[in-house]
Amino acid sequence: MSLSFQLLFVCSPAAAEFSSAHTVLAPQIHAASGWSRIASNSTACAAQHMRATIVLRERNLDTLEAIARSVSDPHDTTYGRHMSTAAIAEMTAPAHHVRASLVEWLSSAGVRFRTMGQGAAWSAVMVESMGGNEAGRLFGTNCSTYRRGNETAAV
């Protein structure tokens, strides 16, 4: 039995420090039909391992849109001069200091992660595996145990 959910963490590119500038966007989690919550911050949560994806806000999307319009307009002098995938990734990548703050925050918490995206222009990290209590401390969330008949799950 596996329950899963997705969290999206967005960091403002203007932030000087990641820990004080992150925003957590998560859906309201309701128990699925037949499941009921039986405990919060339970022992089962400590054994629960999960992954998380943290996505940093991209920059220059308005500029990218303007370029896309101009290279697609037969009357524009830049018509047909499309950008490479690498050039787009570099232009829209989150600021270096924001990415560095995220790496420092996760590293200082002892969390295993890998970057996702185009080389040095990565814009997201995948947190490989962490316990439910570790996730609670890192993201300021709570873990609960649910039961349906003889099945239990910690989320």
Side-chain angles (χ1 to χ4, degrees):
M1 166 59 188
S2 173
L3 295 178
S4 64
F5 58 94
Q6 184 173 6
L7 297 175
L8 172 65
F9 300 90
V10 180
C11 181
S12 168
E17 293 183 63
F18 180 78
S19 60
S20 65
H22 71 282
T23 303
V24 179
L25 304 173
Q28 181 77 11
I29 299 174
H30 299 283
S33 179
W35 288 89
S36 58
R37 188 167 83 177
I38 58 173
S40 292
N41 294 326
S42 64
T43 305
C45 292
Q48 180 74 17
H49 288 277
M50 59 189 69
R51 293 181 182 172
T53 302
I54 302 172
V55 179
L56 299 176
R57 186 168 301 165
E58 296 173 312
R59 299 177 301 142
N60 302 319
L61 295 180
D62 53 342
T63 302
L64 180 62
E65 183 180 348
I67 291 170
R69 289 183 192 283
S70 66
V71 301
S72 301
D73 180 356
H75 297 69
D76 195 290
T77 58
T78 62
Y79 177 69
R81 296 182 190 163
H82 302 284
M83 295 176 69
S84 69
T85 302
I88 293 170
E90 184 63 34
M91 182 177 80
T92 60
H96 175 74
H97 74 277
V98 173
R99 291 181 281 158
S101 294
L102 174 59
V103 167
E104 182 181 334
W105 179 60
L106 292 173
S107 296
S108 68
V111 175
R112 289 187 350 240
F113 64 93
R114 63 182 169 87
T115 60
M116 302 166 59
Q118 288 279 330
W122 60 268
S123 61
V125 298
M126 170 66 76
V127 175
E128 297 292 338
S129 179
M130 64 184 146
N133 291 342
E134 182 182 15
R137 282 189 302 277
L138 188 64
F139 300 123
T141 61
N142 295 313
C143 180
S144 296
T145 303
Y146 290 83
R147 175 176 286 146
R148 179 178 70 183
N150 292 330
E151 295 179 280
T152 60
V155 294

